[in-house]
């Protein structure tokens, strides 16, 4: 029984290690894309914001925009 449990634990850890390595590779690929965008003149900071906004649900994005507008108005920005 203990041997089966040990094998299961080892397999789970190995899966996590493989996934971590894949995640690192994907992160490197994303960084390369942003570097390419920067090289041709795009603003990477703005691109990251756009990616973040596109991940959001439309209702969440609208709510965030309304709150942001409220805060900006309170601080006299714009």
């Amino acid at each position: 029984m203990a041997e089966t449990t040990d094998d299961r634990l080892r397999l789970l850890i190995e899966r996590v290690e493989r996934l971590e390595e894949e995640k690192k590779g994907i992160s490197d690929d994303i960084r390369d894309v942003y570097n390419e965008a920067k090289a041709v003149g795009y603003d990477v900071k703005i691109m990251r914001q756009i990616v973040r906004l596109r991940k959001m649900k439309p209702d969440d994005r609208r709510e965030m925009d309304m709150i942001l507008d409220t805060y900006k108005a309170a601080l006299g920005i714009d």
Side-chain angles (χ1 to χ4, degrees):
M1 179 74 174
E3 186 175 314
T4 304
T5 303
D6 293 347
D7 287 343
R8 175 88 174 150
L9 176 61
R10 182 183 49 75
L11 290 173
L12 290 169
I13 289 173
E14 288 173 356
R15 279 177 52 199
V16 169
E17 289 171 340
R18 278 193 304 277
L19 290 169
E20 288 289 342
E21 188 59 35
E22 288 176 27
K23 183 169 75 170
K24 182 189 177 306
I26 290 170
S27 292
D28 291 345
D29 291 345
I30 292 169
R31 186 178 17 252
D32 290 345
V33 171
Y34 281 122
N35 286 336
E36 179 182 341
K38 184 176 181 179
V40 294
Y42 290 106
D43 187 321
V44 172
K45 184 177 176 182
I46 300 301
M47 286 180 61
R48 289 182 189 275
Q49 286 179 316
I50 295 295
V51 169
R52 190 185 81 223
L53 288 172
R54 288 174 54 122
K55 286 181 188 178
M56 295 175 75
K57 295 177 184 173
D59 289 340
D60 293 341
R61 191 171 48 244
R62 277 190 290 276
E63 180 182 359
M64 184 189 72
D65 286 340
M66 287 187 331
I67 294 170
L68 180 62
D69 289 342
T70 301
Y71 284 18
K72 286 169 37 178
L75 296 171
I77 299 173
D78 276 345

